[in-house]
Each structure stands twice: as structure tokens, then as C-alpha cells.
Amino acid sequence: MDLQSVLSLINERKEEYLETLFTLLRQRSISSQNDGVVECAELLKVIMEDIGINTKIYKTEGQPIVYGEIINDPNDLTILFYGHYDVQPVDPLDQWLSPPFEPTIRDGKIYCRGVGDNKGQLITHLLAVKTMLDVHSKLPINIKFVFEGEEESTSVSLPVFVESHKDLLKADLVYTADGPMPVTGEPLVLLGVRGVLCVELTAKEAEWDNHSGNKGNIVPNPAWTLIDLLSTMRDHNHKVTIDGFYDDILKLTQEELDLLKKLPFDNEKVGKEIGYKELNMDGETYYRKLTLEPTFNIQGFISGYGGEGSKTIIPSEATVKIDFRLVLDQNPSDIFEKVCAHVEKHAPGVKVKHLGSMEPSRTPYGNRLIKVIEEAVEESYQQKPIVQPSLGGSLPDYVWTKILQVPSVVVPYANFDEQNHSPNENMDLENFYNGIKCSCYVIEALGAYKNSMKN
Ligand SMILES: [Zn+2]
């Protein structure tokens, strides 16, 4: 397929494509406030149908999912583009330099709520497909789209939808453009995320707060109960001592370890950025600990008196909120059971509450399609991408790798300072057009790969 004529058509249509994006941006779609989301799904469907994509809106318990496809031959190689059309709330409103739902261009940037996260990124796939269809009237591979309206509200319906539509969504690769590019400007290819499990532990001893002198040594202190319990959960080398916690962790592959060595890292700069100048690590250790090892964190500890001066009481209750970041192949429900068993053994009176969880996900770097994507991204940006085995944070990537069981890759198109979730969210015009081009390179490279497999 001739990509040159596709790329020049994108250049000719810059104004037109910007206008399509602006149409989508003007439609409010704040999922947490149920503001305009259904209308946005309908608008997105119209935009997709205008391009020639078979589109259907699927109702869920929450916000609708917009599904689209262009299928040449059901046995052909298939890419599934995932994105979300919902956005974050806009407050504080007075900090916006232009109204949040009026797309405005200033200094080479488009300002609007949702432009980076994620409307300006998801639409690049649609415009890539439009251009390729207009030039060649046919795509080299099958393409599917899943655009959800609840990503900013923890994607509650997405796993249910994927679980019940496995045949519909059958694909060889899931591709997501979301998040910012690195501060250094290179393209980034992300292969996974850590999972997370949030838990609350509550100890209650006497029925009310007691005098620490008059009842001292008589009434037990629930803060000590929790501190004693926590100290049975981790040793002095920071190893988690909950039975079986590490059992399911997969050994890192040599390829993954090699990738870590190539990631850019400046100890001093990172130390300053996170407000911890004492940081003293090499890049490999930093990324291994940050992305490929689990954590055990105390979020907050609440008990007794925290006001001015002192108040000599023995508190009646204490609560600690903890979270674990999990790595493959730790399962959050299994880890939760192990936490419960540990508490039952060491402090049976303590109540355990499940606050939320998400599974980890990682696609092996050895996957052939990942190499195809890496090369396509390099060609598109004329720069080698950074390939990172996992993010430190958590995203619902497991719906693709675990429920649908296909490799999944995230390639961010937005600029580093996209200000998503904040006032003055923006996307560089350059990043928007480069995104359309990158999606064209990806589709074209997968087509070439498919043909090479046939021969
Ligand atoms: Zn977001």
C-alpha cells in the first residue's frame, strides 16, 4: 500500500480533520456527572458511520459502548482500537483560559476538556481509516473499534461487555493511544500495567475512648493492635510476609530485563521531580521496582487524637488503609483472601474490608506483532520508541490480555504537558496530526506483516 499519497491527503485535509475533532470536543461527556455522555456516544456513531464504519451502540449498566468494525474477510488479521469518549469534570472553572468545551487554538495547541484524554487520540484512528479508505477504497486488515464512556469512572461496564462479547471482539492485537508521551519527546510503546488491591483494616477495643492514666495498661489500644498486625505483614528487608504473597509472580524474561536497561533515567532529576532528593538508584533497579515488582503501601492511618497539644486517651478504634500494587500473575481476589487469612491468624478481631481492585496485565515483548508496532512507530516518528514492559500504575488493560486473551499495546499520542484532568487540557496540533499518521503506519505495517506471513 502506498503510504505517501495517504500522508499527503492528511496534509491537505488538516483543516477538515481539525473540524471533525472540534465537533466531537464540543459535545460534553462527563461520565462522573452523567453529563452529555449518551449524546456524545450518538455523535461518535454518526462520525464513524460517515467514514463508512459499521457502527453500533451497546447499552451497558452504565454508559454506552460504541463499537465499530470494517471487516474484509473474517479470517484476516484484525486490530482492535480501544479508546474512551468520556471526560473528567471541568472544575475549577475559573482557571480555564477559554471555556472548557469550546475548542480554542493558542500557540500551536488545541485547548479543550477531553482533547488529550482521550477524544483527540481516539479520533486519530478514525481519521487514519478515513484517509486510507479514500485513497485505496480498502483497508489492508480488519479493524474494530471499542470506545467506552466510563473510563474516567473506573470502566465498570467494560469487563462485563468484553466477557459477554468475545466473538464480536475477536482480534489479534488491541491498540490504545492514551496518555502523554515522555518529557524527552520520544515515542513510547507500553506493554502492560501493574494491578492494584485496596484494603481497609479496622481494630476496635473498648467501647469508647478511655483515660490513658486511669485505664492505662488495662484497656488495650487498637492503634497498637494494628501496628503489631502490620509488623507481621512485612519484615525489615521490606519483604511482604503474608503467606503465599509472592507465589504466582512470573519470573522476568531476559528480554524484559534488557528493556529496563534501555529506559532513560536521570537519578538527580527524578529525585527532584518526586521531592525526594535522597533517591540513589540506577535506572534498571528504578524501573524494575517501579513497574515489575509488587508493593505494600500504607495510604493512611486514623486513630485517636490528632489535634493541637495532647489529649491523654486510649482510643477506642483505629483504621488503616493499605494498598498493594500487583504484578503478573498475582490475582487481586487471591491476594485479598491471603490478607484475610493472615489477619485471621494474627489479629482475629480486626475487620478486613475490600475497597477495590484491578488485575495486572503485560504483553510479552517477544510477541511478533509488538515488534511490528515498534517498527511502525519508529518509521512514523523517525525516532526509536522507548519500549517499557509495564507502567507503575494501573489501567483496565487486563480486559484485553486476560478476558479477550490477546496482546495489547499502548502508544501515547498526546504531548507530555497535556494537562489532562486539570484546567486548560490541551493537545499540540503537531501531536494530533502525528497521531493520525502513526495510526496509518500501524495499519499499513500490520497489512505488510500479514502479507509476509502468507508468502
Ligand atoms: Zn483520564
Side-chain angles (χ1 to χ4, degrees):
M1 196 173 241
D2 170 19
L3 215 45
Q4 270 326 308
S5 31
V6 171
L7 299 179
S8 32
L9 189 57
I10 293 171
N11 283 336
E12 275 170 41
R13 288 181 175 171
K14 278 187 162 174
E15 286 303 313
E16 180 194 332
Y17 285 177
L18 199 57
E19 201 38 57
T20 310
L21 169 62
F22 280 15
T23 305
L24 187 63
L25 288 175
R26 286 188 193 108
Q27 174 59 54
R28 310 166 69 90
S29 55
I30 308 171
S31 53
S32 65
Q33 300 168 350
N34 196 17
D35 179 357
V37 187
V38 172
E39 291 85 344
C40 192
E42 274 155 15
L43 174 64
L44 186 55
K45 179 170 181 264
V46 171
I47 293 173
M48 289 164 73
E49 282 173 338
D50 279 350
I51 294 171
I53 301 164
N54 271 318
T55 310
K56 189 174 165 182
I57 292 181
Y58 284 83
K59 290 206 173 98
T60 71
E61 294 276 302
Q63 302 294 354
I65 285 175
V66 185
Y67 171 80
E69 61 176 33
I70 297 183
I71 307 288
N72 296 317
D73 165 359
N75 297 317
D76 234 352
L77 189 78
T78 304
I79 185 172
L80 188 157
F81 286 108
Y82 160 77
H84 66 92
Y85 63 87
D86 65 320
V87 303
Q88 286 276 326
V90 294
D91 53 290
L93 196 57
D94 59 346
Q95 288 182 23
W96 284 81
L97 296 176
S98 48
F101 290 102
E102 257 172 47
T104 308
I105 296 178
R106 289 193 299 274
D107 306 324
K109 286 173 179 290
I110 311 156
Y111 286 87
C112 193
R113 171 54 92 226
V115 64
D117 188 8
N118 174 247
K119 290 171 177 171
Q121 303 206 51
L122 74 83
I123 207 166
T124 58
H125 313 314
L126 300 175
L127 296 171
V129 164
K130 179 180 167 64
T131 320
M132 292 177 107
L133 280 176
D134 287 349
V135 172
H136 298 288
S137 67
K138 192 173 180 304
L139 297 172
I141 52 169
N142 295 327
I143 300 197
K144 297 181 177 179
F145 301 95
V146 171
F147 298 138
E148 68 156 318
E150 283 182 336
E151 198 270 352
E152 302 295 4
S153 305
T154 68
S155 300
V156 184
S157 305
L158 185 65
V160 185
F161 176 74
V162 175
E163 186 73 60
S164 53
H165 293 87
K166 283 185 189 166
D167 275 342
L168 178 77
L169 304 180
K170 198 171 162 291
D172 296 285
L173 175 75
V174 174
Y175 186 98
T176 305
D178 199 3
M181 296 173 78
V183 66
T184 39
E186 303 97 323
L188 172 67
V189 174
L190 258 177
L191 302 179
V193 294
R194 286 199 289 197
V196 65
L197 167 67
C198 299
V199 178
E200 186 178 278
L201 304 174
T202 302
K204 186 168 167 66
E205 301 292 359
E207 288 199 27
W208 49 77
D209 295 353
N210 274 287
H211 192 290
S212 75
N214 296 346
K215 313 285 162 36
N217 285 344
I218 306 302
V219 174
N221 186 318
W224 278 122
T225 309
L226 287 187
I227 290 166
D228 291 345
L229 171 62
L230 289 169
S231 66
T232 66
M233 295 168 91
R234 198 180 86 143
D235 70 15
H236 291 296
N237 299 315
H238 304 176
K239 278 264 170 279
V240 177
T241 47
I242 297 166
D243 261 354
F245 183 80
Y246 295 100
D247 280 3
D248 297 323
I249 295 181
L250 302 182
K251 198 167 176 288
L252 299 177
T253 63
Q254 193 53 49
E255 278 167 327
E256 284 169 335
L257 290 169
D258 290 344
L259 282 178
L260 296 184
K261 284 184 204 147
K262 289 190 206 151
L263 296 173
F265 179 71
D266 179 336
N267 184 74
E268 201 182 328
K269 206 168 149 217
V270 173
K272 268 189 199 145
E273 269 168 18
I274 60 177
Y276 180 64
K277 291 200 192 84
E278 295 76 6
L279 183 75
N280 182 15
M281 256 180 217
D282 61 79
E284 193 187 339
T285 313
Y286 173 82
Y287 285 108
R288 198 189 63 242
K289 283 176 168 292
L290 182 67
T291 66
L292 300 176
E293 287 181 5
T295 68
F296 175 18
N297 175 51
I298 297 176
Q299 300 175 355
F301 197 115
I302 307 127
S303 185
Y305 180 70
E308 203 181 322
S310 69
K311 183 184 180 199
T312 47
I313 53 158
I314 305 164
S316 134
E317 203 172 279
T319 296
V320 64
K321 287 176 189 285
I322 55 179
D323 64 66
F324 303 89
R325 294 285 164 170
L326 306 175
V327 297
L328 281 192
D329 208 12
Q330 289 177 303
N331 176 300
S333 327
D334 173 66
I335 297 294
F336 181 67
E337 276 172 33
K338 286 168 175 164
V339 171
C340 291
H342 184 95
V343 172
E344 184 58 34
K345 185 171 162 196
H346 293 271
V350 169
K351 282 207 189 85
V352 186
K353 190 172 163 193
H354 187 278
L355 296 179
S357 66
M358 197 177 279
E359 290 193 38
S361 165
R362 207 155 75 227
T363 292
Y365 183 54
N367 187 293
R368 186 59 202 125
L369 290 177
I370 298 301
K371 293 262 164 39
V372 175
I373 298 299
E374 186 186 354
E375 284 159 21
V377 171
E378 177 174 352
E379 253 198 88
S380 177
Y381 287 91
Q382 289 294 302
Q383 202 175 2
K384 268 205 179 313
I386 298 169
V387 183
Q388 195 170 318
S390 176
L391 256 190
S394 308
L395 291 170
D397 196 48
Y398 74 95
V399 303
W400 313 121
T401 56
K402 293 197 172 170
I403 301 179
L404 201 58
Q405 303 208 330
V406 292
S408 166
V409 63
V410 180
V411 182
Y413 289 172
N415 34 293
F416 181 74
D417 57 350
E418 62 167 322
Q419 297 277 84
N420 50 336
H421 297 208
S422 306
N424 305 309
E425 178 172 353
N426 65 82
M427 187 170 182
D428 286 10
L429 281 161
E430 185 97 349
N431 284 65
F432 170 59
Y433 296 121
N434 284 345
I436 304 173
K437 289 175 189 167
C438 187
S439 294
C440 290
Y441 272 97
V442 164
I443 295 167
E444 136 70 34
L446 289 170
Y449 169 74
K450 178 197 78 178
N451 290 335
S452 75
M453 294 308 285
K454 276 189 191 154
N455 300 332

